[in-house]
């Protein structure tokens, strides 16, 4: 009676147990090798990515302040507000100037006299200013003088427009400016003069002037 049972154990269960043991050993070996292999790709633990290891960091070289659009290296200087500041006490002249330059792609702000212009200059910088010379409160000559005393506006190109017949007399009164145009100005001449001083419209390329 015991002989058949012994034969079953010897020739049936024992080989099965041996096979299962071999399979288990193979699985353990494969798992241990996998743990020892280095991992590549983007699935590294978050703690490794944030460990501060220079080998894991991507360095972006910083631009010097002077090379960054709209950034003034001098401390305390305001950023760019627009391309052009247009100053004239005539509403018609302001509208014509603004339409002329915005059609060409420039961003423009307007002021009615020198006092308003200085308030705008206190809040932001401009690539160029065009100002009438005959205005109430603070005229163009006085405005130009104040701009030359402002740190961030002293290097700003300035063009004057005037209805005065004697351009040389007006130019002598503000000889520091980049040029003077008689009213009514010639659109192509005025736009060409602006372009020669500050280049083409910066609002197309300069992110500092974007809304």
């Amino acid at each position: 009676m015991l002989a058949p049972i012994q034969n079953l154990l010897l020739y049936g269960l024992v080989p099965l147990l041996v096979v299962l043991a071999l399979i288990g050993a193979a699985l353990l070996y494969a798992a241990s090798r996998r743990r020892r292999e280095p991992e590549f790709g983007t699935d590294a633990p978050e703690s490794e990515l944030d460990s501060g290891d220079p080998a894991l960091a991507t360095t972006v070289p910083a631009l010097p302040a002077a090379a960054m659009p709209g950034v003034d290296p001098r401390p305390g200087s305001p950023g760019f507000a627009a391309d052009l500041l247009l100053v004239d006490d005539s509403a018609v002249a302001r509208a014509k100037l603004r339409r002329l330059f915005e059609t060409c792609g420039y961003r423009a702000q307007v002021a009615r006299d020198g006092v308003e212009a200085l308030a705008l200059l206190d809040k932001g910088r401009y690539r160029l200013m065009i100002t009438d010379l005959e205005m109430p409160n603070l005229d163009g000559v006085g405005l130009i003088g104040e701009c030359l005393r402002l740190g961030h506006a002293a290097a700003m190109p300035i063009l004057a427009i005037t209805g005065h017949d004697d351009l040389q007399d007006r130019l002598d009164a503000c000889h520091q400016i980049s040029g003077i145009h008689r009213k009514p100005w010639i659109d192509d001449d005025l736009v060409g003069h602006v372009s020669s001083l500050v280049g083409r419209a910066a609002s197309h390329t300069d992110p500092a002037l974007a809304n």
Side-chain angles (χ1 to χ4, degrees), residues 77-122:
S77 296
F80 277 112
D83 293 311
L84 308 177
L85 177 57
L86 311 174
V87 190
D88 200 301
D89 61 318
S90 165
V92 173
R94 290 196 305 271
K96 286 183 177 179
L97 286 169
R98 188 169 201 166
R99 183 168 58 250
L100 172 64
F101 287 104
E102 287 185 344
T103 299
C104 295
Y106 293 94
R107 292 185 61 200
Q109 287 191 354
V110 296
R112 291 177 294 184
D113 54 39
V115 174
E116 282 192 4
L118 288 177
L120 290 173
L121 286 167
D122 188 53

Side-chain angles (χ1 to χ4, degrees), residues 24-49:
L27 291 174
L28 289 174
Y29 177 73
S32 64
R33 284 197 60 184
R34 188 174 181 181
R35 282 196 299 270
R36 287 197 299 270
E37 289 177 354
E39 295 184 2
F40 299 95
T42 58
D43 295 328
E46 191 172 322
S47 59
E48 291 181 14
L49 293 176

Side-chain angles (χ1 to χ4, degrees), residues 16-173:
L16 179 60
L17 291 174
V18 171
V19 171
L20 292 175
L22 291 174
I23 293 174
L27 291 174
L28 289 174
Y29 177 73
S32 64
R33 284 197 60 184
R34 188 174 181 181
R35 282 196 299 270
R36 287 197 299 270
E37 289 177 354
E39 295 184 2
F40 299 95
T42 58
D43 295 328
E46 191 172 322
S47 59
E48 291 181 14
L49 293 176
D50 296 334
S51 63
D53 188 346
L56 298 175
T58 302
T59 302
V60 179
L63 290 173
M68 300 178 72
V71 175
D72 194 319
R74 291 167 295 188
S77 296
F80 277 112
D83 293 311
L84 308 177
L85 177 57
L86 311 174
V87 190
D88 200 301
D89 61 318
S90 165
V92 173
R94 290 196 305 271
K96 286 183 177 179
L97 286 169
R98 188 169 201 166
R99 183 168 58 250
L100 172 64
F101 287 104
E102 287 185 344
T103 299
C104 295
Y106 293 94
R107 292 185 61 200
Q109 287 191 354
V110 296
R112 291 177 294 184
D113 54 39
V115 174
E116 282 192 4
L118 288 177
L120 290 173
L121 286 167
D122 188 53
K123 297 176 182 177
R125 294 187 298 137
Y126 299 84
R127 297 166 67 85
L128 180 142
M129 181 175 74
I130 299 176
T131 181
D132 186 17
L133 293 181
E134 293 80 27
M135 298 182 294
N137 300 323
L138 180 62
D139 65 9
V141 176
L143 172 60
I144 292 165
E146 290 297 322
C147 287
L148 295 175
R149 285 189 282 273
L150 289 174
H152 65 275
M156 175 182 64
I158 299 174
L159 293 177
I161 52 176
T162 180
H164 201 280
D165 290 332
D166 190 348
L167 291 184
Q168 187 60 50
D169 178 65
R170 304 308 287 157
L171 190 57
D172 290 342

